[in-house]
């Protein structure tokens, strides 16, 4: 329905410097994956910067006014 490619599943390897503060050894590799529902939500609501959707820059009024993200509307 969006007429473009959208990332809905992503994965990656954590960088070693992010793992060191957690007390993990240098030789440990950590991978992660998820649904990445942020990307379609950003497209739906015209948000260009992911930090405006998650984190300290979130417009709480948008969250209160739009409790659901429906791509079929």
């Amino acid at each position: 329905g969006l007429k473009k490619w959208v990332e809905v599943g992503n994965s990656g390897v954590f960088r070693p410097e992010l793992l060191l503060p957690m007390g993990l050894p240098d030789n440990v590799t950590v991978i992660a994956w998820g649904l990445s529902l942020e990307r379609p939500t950003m497209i739906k609501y015209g948000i260009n910067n992911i930090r405006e959707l998650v984190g300290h820059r979130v417009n709480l009024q948008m969250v209160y006014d739009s409790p659901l993200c429906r791509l079929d509307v």
Side-chain angles (χ1 to χ4, degrees):
L2 296 173
K3 307 282 192 266
K4 63 173 118 178
W5 286 95
V6 178
E7 173 189 341
V8 292
N10 59 1
S11 62
V13 177
F14 279 76
R15 297 189 334 236
E17 64 268 22
L18 296 175
L19 300 174
L20 289 176
M22 296 179 203
L24 296 171
D26 292 339
N27 62 344
V28 170
T29 301
V30 176
I31 62 171
W33 59 90
L35 289 177
S36 186
L37 298 175
E38 297 87 1
R39 303 298 180 193
T41 303
M42 290 171 64
I43 292 168
K44 170 72 176 173
Y45 293 105
I47 299 170
N48 295 322
N49 188 331
I50 195 166
R51 290 175 288 193
E52 295 174 11
L53 182 64
V54 294
H56 69 281
R57 293 184 182 180
V58 173
N59 177 352
L60 292 179
Q61 192 60 51
M62 179 194 71
V63 175
Y64 297 139
D65 294 343
S66 308
L68 297 173
C69 175
R70 295 186 52 182
L71 298 177
D72 62 337
V73 177

